[in-house]
Amino acid sequence: MVVKIDNLVKRYKDVLAVDHFNMELKEGEILGLLGPNGSGKSTTINCILALLKYDKGTIEVFGQEMTPSSYNIKKDIGVVMQNVAVFDELTVFENIDYFCGLYIKDTAKRKQYVKEAIQFVALEGYEKFLPKKLSGGLLRRLNIACGIAHKPKLIILDEPTVAVDPQSRDYILKGIQELNRQGATIIYTSHYMEEVEQICTRIIIIDKGRNIAEGTKEALKQMIKTGETVRINILNISKEQVVQISALPNVFSAEYADETLVVHCEQGKHNLANILDYLSQNQIVYDRVLSELPTLNDVFLEMTGNQLRD
Amino acid sequence: MRFKYSLLTLLRSKSYLFWTLAFPIILGTFFNVAFSGDLMANFEPIPIAVVEESGVNTMFNEILHQLADGETPMLRIVPATSLYEAETLLIGGEITGLFVLREDIELMVTRTGINQSILQTISNEFVRRSATITDIAAERPDLVMDIVAQMNAGIDVNQGTAGLGTDIVIYHFYALLAMVCFMGSQAGFKVSIDVQAGVSPLAARRSVAPTKKMALVVNEFFAAVLIHGVITFISVAYLVFILGINFGQSLPLILLVCFVGSLAGISFGMLMATVLKGKENVREATMTAITFVFYAAAGLFQSQIRLMVRNAAPIADRINPITLISDAFASLVIYDTLDRYFRSLLILLAMSALFLVVSAAVLRRARYADS
Amino acid sequence: MQTLKYFFKILNYHKMVLLIFVGLFVGLNIIFTEFGGEITDVFSPQSLNIGVINRDDHPISDGLEAYLGGLHSIVPLEDDYTAMQDALFFLDAAYILIIDNGFGETFYNDPDSAGLTNKKAAEAAAGFYVDGQIDSYLLALRAYLSAGFELERALALTGSHERVNVNIIEREHIYGASFYFQTLPFVFISVIVLSVATVLVVYKKEELAKRMDVSPTPKLRRQTQIMVGCVVCTLAIWVVFMVGAYLLNPPALTSTVGLLQVINSLVLAVVCVSLAFLMGQFIKKAAVLLAIVQILALGLSFISGVFVPQEFLADGVLAIARFTPTYWYIRAQDMLAAVSPTIGVDMRVFLQSIGIQLGFAVAMFAVALAFGREKRVS
């Protein structure tokens, strides 16, 4: 067990930021912590890292209780924060070297690690650049390099791709998977479901500081009613017809707005076919048809009534 | 609307406001306490030595001894058996003055100063009175006793200050307020930096907004002037009501200086941020350095420096904004016409206008975010 | 030693800022030294610039004016309120005597009912001497008149009273104590705190601090290295100031007194860096730095006797000042300034001062380090 959180409670004055939160992280996992802004993700992370006091509960990392002076545990943890945390006054190389140096004392070993870290985030050629000369994406890569250069066993990334261009984002996600392949256990928090879906082996959905659901992405999607969502562009359809569509087998809701018919169906093989049949039979003209499998947003929506992204 | 937001942004930087206000209050209190010292409170008897080489002025020697006696002696006589020994004491600093009594009286000192002046006064008065008595005794010996009594009773003709004098201590308080006005230069600096896209990320974001740069600047600028003017005014209030410093009677005029002074400080800050090149922290340091030079030239640390500046380069004194602001405050108290007051304010306004025009010109031209 | 090594790199990035501040304050200190050495000019009654507004037309008034003219320089002055205020404010005249019309006549007939007015400039102390000189003249004149002497003769006699011969002997300044060191508290607090804090705030950036706190290098170790870096930086600044002192006046460093002076200043520098280090624990933004530095530098300097000598400060002020390290620095410096062939160095005062200053420094470093321990925030 890499991380074990048991009934964590953290209160900020009147607000309950973390509400009896539980989490177990096994070695080799990429655990996604998915929740909207303000759901308690960062707070939980800060508690794990012993940066924040909490009111109740226990946190164990590598089987031991985590405190600010648990130096033996800290050396195996790498952190990539939400906001870029680098020295404006130091170059790319110097930044990575400094932070790696807080973990690795052996100069030769560190030199090697820093070089590898720069290669890993593809910042070769930028070693002598100052942070202010880097674009947002490159800066994020530097941020990551500083967090992982010392090859930690546990890596915590707190919303690492906020305001990052798609190319860099992709790069970062692939990099994380590579780190995992190399043996790191990873906690990845985000409110972007696409990223979490893409790389996480297991996901915990969190809202208002509480566990909402947990499991692999497939398992989560099985948990909800929606098996499929069908969207069809229709110019004209009557209310009664919409009601009738909602009465079709496996359909549990149908709405029509802005010239789009949205039909939520449960799991089933013929949902789309049934709907299209109905439309043909009633001579309702349609053009674009889109059928989507449930997303984590759907999971979140159904479980909490809110969207992941506002 | 934008003005309101600019105002709010400034008001929320609590620590900045706090320390800017704390500065004049703490220092004002310190000044008050430091200067309230009575110069004569720690008066200690002046150490002297007397060497009598001829008997002519023995009476003076006796008088000196009298002054060294009693409960609150003015003098302390250090024994010296020879002139050489006495001179050694003098050079060594153990005595402040050495009286050598020959046919006439000679006073030897190593420098000018209060105590030396006191010794000089004592001896001069002695010479004068004994000469007078001698003259009178030669003609009207019967009146000598009365005249002596009359002289001892003193004279009260010179009745002191007509109208308000000036007080260098007070000047320090005015200069303090000038400093407060100039602390606004930091705010002005920020106003300019925040529209220089190459320097500040906030500015970069704003550059792409469909608002004219100038509109942004103007709003923030006036918000800064408003707030700083108020801070300065609160400082004045503290000095007047809690510490009892005199600022004259006219509230609107005082308020006017507060705002014009703040205007000058803030526009100076803007100028510095705009015209200087290089990293932001370097520009700010340069601005601070120049401000300190203003302070020094205004005599804030040592009044002699201001005199030196006035003598060597009078123009410099006339355009030193710190001097202008403190003079404006001072003239409300010292003069009975507003001539000087308005003159100072006018120069300040002209300087502010100049700073702003230059800043605006430079900011407008800068189009491309270039660092 | 990572943190220390990178401390210097961060310092290097800000070197222009440091250079500007050091340059500014060395320059200022040199100016202070050149102009502030003798504050006693303020009290010198030797010969002032005074103004005499003589509205009367009487031998007594003329006699008084002539008498004062013999002692001081009378500057031409218009009989106009603003002109007079100007003259006083700008110290063109230290004192203005106003003799109203009819004074002479009144004084001749009934001296005790005559009246004069005067205005004094900022250096009020000098003005009192002129008051005294006028009193002295009138006192004697009144005596002669009361004794029945004729006016002309009385005036002649009064005007010809001798003055005591004042001989100023040069005291050689070979002893080394220099006014340059007198103003160091103000200058050191300003430059050292500004410079050091500029670097210290860098470490306070929230995300950076977090990143460092989650590392296995204990905060105490990092902080200690930063502390060493600050001290080294301060020593460099101190050396620059010592070079300045040497260039101005070599004995300031080479004489015995000079050497002690230098040691005293080194200790002061250490006190200042400990203050800067302590402040660096609390200050998060550079914007407030200037205000705080000005408060500390000016405030401490004024109450410790840097700009106003200790002997002129009220007892209450000194009582408070005794709790500040700068007071003790000045005390030692004043002692050194008074040293002469006959008055030796008071080692007790010196050692006490050094000891107390070091005590402050150690305390401030300790508090700063204790304050900056790892802890969870609520």
Side-chain angles (χ1 to χ4, degrees):
Chain A
M1 194 68 59
V2 176
V3 176
K4 184 162 168 12
I5 301 180
D6 202 16
N7 265 307
L8 182 65
V9 177
K10 165 70 190 170
R11 203 172 262 114
Y12 278 117
K13 293 189 203 172
D14 305 322
V15 179
L16 201 51
V18 181
D19 190 358
H20 300 90
F21 184 76
N22 292 299
M23 181 176 107
E24 273 182 12
L25 177 67
K26 297 195 195 57
E27 205 177 318
E29 290 192 291
I30 303 182
L31 178 68
L33 200 54
L34 181 66
N37 288 322
S39 52
K41 305 192 293 293
S42 295
T43 310
T44 306
I45 297 297
N46 286 332
C47 290
I48 296 177
L49 293 169
L51 289 171
L52 211 56
K53 273 191 240 180
Y54 47 91
D55 301 295
K56 271 193 243 163
T58 58
I59 300 182
E60 276 179 13
V61 179
F62 296 121
Q64 298 164 47
E65 194 196 337
M66 184 65 176
T67 68
S69 43
S70 306
Y71 303 125
N72 56 331
I73 306 178
K74 285 187 176 183
K75 70 172 170 33
D76 288 320
I77 304 180
V79 180
V80 179
M81 303 283 199
Q82 199 169 3
N83 295 321
V84 173
V86 297
F87 285 101
D88 294 324
E89 293 92 349
L90 299 177
T91 63
V92 163
F93 179 86
E94 288 168 346
N95 263 298
I96 303 175
D97 185 48
Y98 175 64
F99 288 113
C100 188
L102 294 178
Y103 294 82
I104 310 280
K105 299 293 176 202
D106 182 325
T107 325
K109 188 167 160 197
R110 181 171 75 241
K111 206 163 150 201
Q112 180 62 26
Y113 277 25
V114 171
K115 191 158 153 237
E116 285 170 20
I118 292 179
Q119 280 170 350
F120 185 80
V121 295
L123 277 177
E124 289 111 320
Y126 291 97
E127 285 91 341
K128 294 212 173 20
F129 277 56
L130 287 173
K132 72 174 179 195
K133 298 270 190 209
L134 298 175
S135 68
L138 291 180
L139 206 50
R140 288 276 164 185
R141 294 195 212 175
L142 172 60
N143 201 33
I144 291 173
C146 289
I148 53 106
H150 55 286
K151 303 200 195 295
K153 286 197 264 186
L154 168 63
I155 304 179
I156 302 180
L157 300 114
D158 193 2
E159 310 237 23
T161 59
V162 169
V164 163
D165 59 283
Q167 192 183 12
S168 285
R169 172 185 296 194
D170 198 47
Y171 193 87
I172 289 170
L173 291 172
K174 289 214 169 62
I176 292 170
Q177 285 178 309
E178 176 59 31
L179 286 169
N180 180 245
R181 255 194 297 280
Q182 289 176 6
T185 307
I186 300 188
I187 300 179
Y188 186 92
T189 78
S190 182
H191 59 267
Y192 293 120
M193 60 174 187
E194 305 87 351
E195 296 176 357
V196 173
E197 280 199 52
Q198 191 176 335
I199 63 170
C200 297
T201 56
R202 190 159 64 90
I203 299 163
I204 296 182
I205 298 186
I206 180 174
D207 187 34
K208 297 197 181 30
R210 261 180 260 137
N211 294 73
I212 301 294
E214 193 177 321
T216 61
K217 57 178 185 275
E218 292 79 14
L220 285 174
K221 289 176 187 178
Q222 301 278 16
M223 287 183 202
I224 54 170
K225 272 200 298 192
T226 310
E228 188 178 350
T229 303
V230 178
R231 289 173 214 273
I232 308 179
N233 274 26
I234 299 177
L235 271 177
N236 257 314
I237 186 170
S238 70
K239 276 210 189 81
E240 296 81 28
Q241 287 168 324
V242 175
V243 171
Q244 283 176 346
I245 292 178
S246 58
L248 287 174
N250 280 341
V251 174
F252 66 86
S253 82
E255 296 120 23
Y256 177 71
D258 291 330
E259 296 178 0
T260 308
L261 174 70
V262 180
V263 186
H264 293 283
C265 316
E266 289 174 23
Q267 308 275 3
K269 279 199 162 64
H270 304 287
N271 298 328
L272 185 56
N274 291 346
I275 298 171
L276 291 179
D277 281 343
Y278 177 90
L279 293 177
S280 303
Q281 283 161 20
N282 287 277
Q283 272 132 20
I284 299 174
V285 179
Y286 59 89
D287 73 27
R288 270 211 321 192
V289 175
L290 191 61
S291 166
E292 294 174 311
L293 289 172
T295 64
L296 288 177
N297 193 43
D298 293 325
V299 176
F300 190 81
L301 191 58
E302 210 166 298
M303 292 194 176
T304 65
N306 297 315
Q307 302 273 1
L308 270 175
R309 295 258 314 272
D310 16 59
Chain B
M1 223 280 268
R2 232 175 275 132
F3 181 71
K4 183 178 95 172
Y5 280 114
S6 308
L7 208 55
L8 278 174
T9 319
L10 271 174
L11 281 171
R12 290 217 181 104
S13 44
K14 271 186 248 152
S15 57
Y16 176 72
L17 289 179
F18 173 77
W19 287 107
T20 309
L21 199 51
F23 170 71
I25 291 181
I26 294 177
L27 269 172
T29 313
F30 272 4
F31 280 179
N32 200 38
V33 163
F35 292 130
S36 63
D38 181 7
L39 283 178
M40 288 300 155
N42 293 323
F43 184 77
E44 286 193 18
I46 307 173
I48 61 166
V50 186
V51 174
E52 206 173 332
E53 292 196 339
S54 132
V56 172
N57 281 304
T58 308
M59 176 145 293
F60 186 54
N61 201 347
E62 274 175 36
I63 291 187
L64 289 174
H65 276 82
Q66 272 175 29
L67 288 171
D69 275 334
E71 272 185 26
T72 49
M74 253 183 107
L75 306 174
R76 177 168 62 87
I77 301 188
V78 178
T81 48
S82 69
L83 182 58
Y84 176 74
E85 192 187 330
E87 280 179 3
T88 314
L89 288 172
L90 180 64
I91 296 175
E94 278 159 280
I95 55 174
T96 305
L98 165 60
F99 284 110
V100 186
L101 309 180
R102 303 187 189 89
E103 301 293 313
D104 55 5
I105 299 173
E106 182 188 347
L107 169 64
M108 290 167 77
V109 292
T110 51
R111 59 177 175 91
T112 56
I114 294 187
N115 289 342
Q116 288 81 352
S117 307
I118 293 176
L119 293 177
Q120 190 178 14
T121 308
I122 294 173
S123 44
N124 273 326
E125 193 58 24
F126 171 80
V127 169
R128 161 161 274 150
R129 289 198 193 187
S130 53
T132 310
I133 298 294
T134 309
D135 289 341
I136 293 175
E139 309 239 331
R140 296 291 303 271
D142 52 308
L143 289 175
V144 168
M145 295 301 287
D146 291 337
I147 301 289
V148 168
Q150 184 201 55
M151 279 177 136
N152 285 341
I155 194 165
D156 189 21
V157 170
N158 194 358
Q159 269 146 22
T161 321
L164 291 160
T166 60
D167 188 343
I168 205 164
V169 168
I170 293 250
Y171 182 78
H172 268 103
F173 289 99
Y174 301 147
L176 182 65
L177 286 170
M179 285 175 84
V180 175
C181 288
F182 255 67
M183 293 183 94
S185 64
Q186 280 198 301
F189 185 88
K190 197 159 175 305
V191 168
S192 170
I193 284 286
D194 280 347
V195 290
Q196 291 183 47
V199 184
S200 139
L202 171 64
R205 204 178 304 163
R206 285 160 146 198
S207 309
V208 293
T211 327
K212 268 200 150 137
K213 249 196 280 192
M214 279 303 117
L216 291 170
V217 168
V218 163
N219 271 298
E220 298 206 332
F221 178 79
F222 281 111
V225 174
L226 181 61
I227 294 198
H228 257 277
V230 169
I231 290 181
T232 310
F233 186 67
I234 295 177
S235 314
V236 173
Y238 178 76
L239 291 179
V240 170
F241 293 115
I242 311 283
L243 297 183
I245 312 294
N246 189 7
F247 274 88
Q249 305 302 329
S250 172
L251 190 66
L253 291 179
I254 296 174
L255 208 55
L256 189 58
V257 187
C258 292
F259 283 98
V260 174
S262 300
L263 178 70
I266 292 172
S267 49
F268 175 72
M270 269 194 74
L271 181 74
M272 290 288 105
T274 315
V275 159
L276 295 173
K277 294 294 158 219
K279 291 192 273 220
E280 184 185 332
N281 57 348
V282 172
R283 295 190 212 184
E284 197 163 7
T286 310
M287 176 179 80
T288 307
I290 297 178
T291 311
F292 265 85
V293 172
F294 287 158
Y295 293 162
L300 225 147
F301 310 121
Q302 290 176 328
S303 36
Q304 302 93 303
I305 299 182
R306 184 179 179 189
L307 288 178
M308 193 273 300
V309 171
R310 278 192 66 233
N311 289 329
I315 309 254
D317 187 59
R318 280 183 189 281
I319 61 169
N320 181 346
I322 301 292
T323 312
L324 288 167
I325 299 173
S326 31
D327 280 356
F329 278 118
S331 39
L332 286 176
V333 171
I334 299 173
Y335 299 99
D336 57 354
T337 58
L338 292 176
D339 196 45
R340 254 198 196 286
Y341 172 82
F342 280 119
R343 210 190 309 174
S344 303
L345 286 188
L346 235 52
I347 301 180
L348 277 170
L349 280 171
M351 287 175 79
S352 308
L354 179 65
F355 293 159
L356 288 173
V357 162
V358 171
S359 304
V362 174
L363 280 177
R364 282 199 125 126
R365 269 196 295 125
R367 292 206 176 287
Y368 184 68
D370 184 26
S371 43
Chain C
M1 287 305 180
Q2 276 285 80
T3 308
L4 183 59
K5 169 175 144 194
Y6 281 105
F7 175 89
F8 288 118
K9 288 207 192 261
I10 296 172
L11 184 69
N12 184 53
Y13 180 86
H14 290 282
K15 63 175 178 286
M16 264 321 279
V17 171
L18 262 64
L19 279 173
I20 291 174
F21 286 142
V22 174
L24 167 74
F25 284 102
V26 171
L28 271 184
N29 205 38
I30 292 177
I31 294 178
F32 288 159
T33 311
E34 292 298 287
F35 291 97
E38 292 293 318
I39 58 150
T40 52
D41 284 47
V42 161
F43 301 110
S44 163
Q46 291 305 318
S47 175
L48 300 171
N49 288 334
I50 68 170
V52 179
I53 307 282
N54 191 352
R55 299 177 183 147
D56 195 17
D57 187 17
H58 191 281
I60 290 181
S61 304
D62 294 339
L64 178 58
E65 185 175 349
Y67 170 69
L68 289 174
L71 293 175
H72 304 285
S73 293
I74 298 191
V75 285
L77 200 56
E78 267 174 56
D79 188 356
D80 169 70
Y81 183 77
T82 307
M84 282 193 259
Q85 293 295 77
D86 270 354
L88 291 173
F89 188 64
F90 291 109
L91 290 173
D92 291 326
Y95 185 99
I96 299 178
L97 176 66
I98 303 172
I99 309 175
D100 280 320
N101 194 8
F103 168 75
E105 192 64 31
T106 315
F107 187 84
Y108 184 69
N109 293 320
D110 182 8
D112 293 322
S113 67
L116 290 171
T117 50
N118 67 71
K119 285 173 181 291
K120 298 186 184 61
E123 281 79 48
F128 286 121
Y129 294 109
V130 184
D131 280 342
Q133 287 162 345
I134 294 173
D135 282 351
S136 174
Y137 181 86
L138 293 175
L139 199 73
L141 186 63
R142 181 181 67 175
Y144 283 121
L145 292 175
S146 303
F149 285 61
E150 277 166 29
L151 180 57
E152 221 179 283
R153 194 164 162 232
L155 284 171
L157 285 170
T158 313
S160 64
H161 284 151
E162 278 173 32
R163 296 189 58 75
V164 165
N165 196 359
V166 177
N167 208 343
I168 304 182
I169 306 182
E170 275 301 314
R171 233 186 115 191
E172 295 161 53
H173 288 288
I174 58 165
Y175 312 125
S178 166
F179 195 74
Y180 184 90
F181 288 79
Q182 186 80 6
T183 46
L184 281 185
F186 171 73
V187 168
F188 271 8
I189 293 178
S190 302
V191 72
I192 293 174
V193 176
L194 278 173
S195 304
V196 168
T198 300
V199 179
L200 288 177
V201 290
V202 168
Y203 289 93
K204 284 284 160 215
K205 242 189 314 180
E206 198 181 340
E207 301 299 340
L208 271 180
K210 271 198 208 163
R211 204 197 261 291
M212 292 189 283
D213 284 345
V214 298
S215 77
T217 304
K219 191 158 179 193
L220 188 64
R221 191 179 312 171
R222 283 184 275 124
Q223 286 290 87
T224 316
Q225 290 181 32
I226 293 175
M227 188 176 95
V228 169
C230 293
V231 172
V232 170
C233 173
T234 303
L235 287 178
I237 296 176
W238 175 77
V239 165
V240 174
F241 274 89
M242 291 304 107
V243 167
Y246 183 80
L247 290 175
L248 273 185
N249 182 25
L253 265 66
T254 55
S255 59
T256 319
V257 163
L259 205 59
L260 293 175
Q261 195 171 238
V262 164
I263 294 174
N264 197 18
S265 71
L266 179 60
V267 172
L268 178 68
V270 172
V271 169
C272 290
V273 69
S274 71
L275 179 64
F277 189 67
L278 179 61
M279 278 173 51
Q281 302 307 319
F282 301 100
I283 298 185
K284 299 227 164 49
K285 294 231 187 70
V288 298
L289 190 57
L290 192 59
I292 297 180
V293 167
Q294 284 180 311
I295 294 177
L296 281 176
L298 278 176
L300 285 177
S301 297
F302 268 102
I303 63 173
S304 298
V306 170
F307 295 116
V308 177
Q310 279 184 354
E311 59 218 36
F312 297 135
L313 292 174
D315 286 332
V317 178
L318 290 175
I320 300 173
R322 279 194 197 100
F323 289 96
T324 65
T326 42
Y327 169 86
W328 298 97
Y329 170 83
I330 294 289
R331 189 141 177 273
Q333 185 62 25
D334 282 346
M335 179 278 290
L336 289 172
V339 166
S340 71
T342 48
I343 298 180
V345 171
D346 189 343
M347 275 315 272
R348 200 184 56 87
V349 166
F350 184 77
L351 290 173
Q352 184 189 40
S353 155
I354 300 290
I356 295 181
Q357 287 181 74
L358 284 176
F360 272 102
V362 166
M364 287 197 274
F365 275 130
V367 171
L369 285 175
F371 184 80
R373 267 175 310 140
E374 261 124 351
K375 52 182 189 292
R376 288 182 245 228
V377 183
S378 356

